[in-house]
Amino acid sequence: VYQFSQELALECYRVTKKFPSDERFALMQQIRRAAISVHLNIAEGCSRKSPNERNRYFEIARGSVIEIDSAIGISFKLEYVKLADLKPLGESIVNTFKLITGMIK
């Protein structure tokens, strides 16, 4: 899961590089922050001893995956990215979400 979340973060950076320069401090940064949040919350959650505490971090990470998905949807509608450019990111979002959900269960 850690490796998948890292790939998700890298893919978010690749996709947002194509955004217009006026989005540098808005949607682009929000997506990047959420992507890093997924990765870091998984890492931090794994260091916790209590199952409840671990799951809390994993749930935060899963929420950040949804945040990325929602922001990418807006980016697509604003025509910042093309559908073909989103295929690897979309797959990464789905895989990471499923894996985090499995960790929570």
Side-chain angles (χ1 to χ4, degrees):
V1 178
Y2 183 81
Q3 290 173 332
F4 273 95
S5 69
Q6 186 176 57
E7 186 53 42
L8 173 63
L10 295 172
E11 194 58 40
C12 284
Y13 272 76
R14 286 183 202 110
V15 167
T16 56
K17 269 186 184 178
K18 300 174 184 180
F19 282 22
S21 60
D22 64 330
E23 274 299 329
R24 220 173 335 157
F25 301 109
L27 202 50
M28 175 192 295
Q29 288 303 315
Q30 188 64 34
I31 292 168
R32 289 177 173 188
R33 276 193 307 274
I36 295 300
S37 175
V38 172
H39 190 60
L40 296 179
N41 276 297
I42 289 170
E44 189 165 356
C46 287
S47 74
R48 302 302 171 155
K49 292 182 181 180
S50 154
N52 287 340
E53 200 174 358
R54 269 194 306 273
N55 282 345
R56 190 174 123 254
Y57 281 92
F58 298 156
E59 287 172 0
I60 292 167
R62 188 171 59 176
S64 293
V65 172
I66 297 303
E67 185 178 346
I68 294 165
D69 188 46
S70 298
I72 289 295
I74 291 170
S75 302
F76 175 73
K77 289 186 178 189
L78 290 170
E79 299 178 354
Y80 293 164
V81 289
K82 296 179 177 147
L83 191 57
D85 296 330
L86 294 178
K87 187 173 183 336
L89 179 57
E91 290 171 358
S92 188
I93 288 170
V94 170
N95 288 335
T96 304
F97 184 87
K98 286 179 180 179
L99 289 169
I100 294 170
T101 299
M103 289 174 69
I104 294 169
K105 291 181 181 182

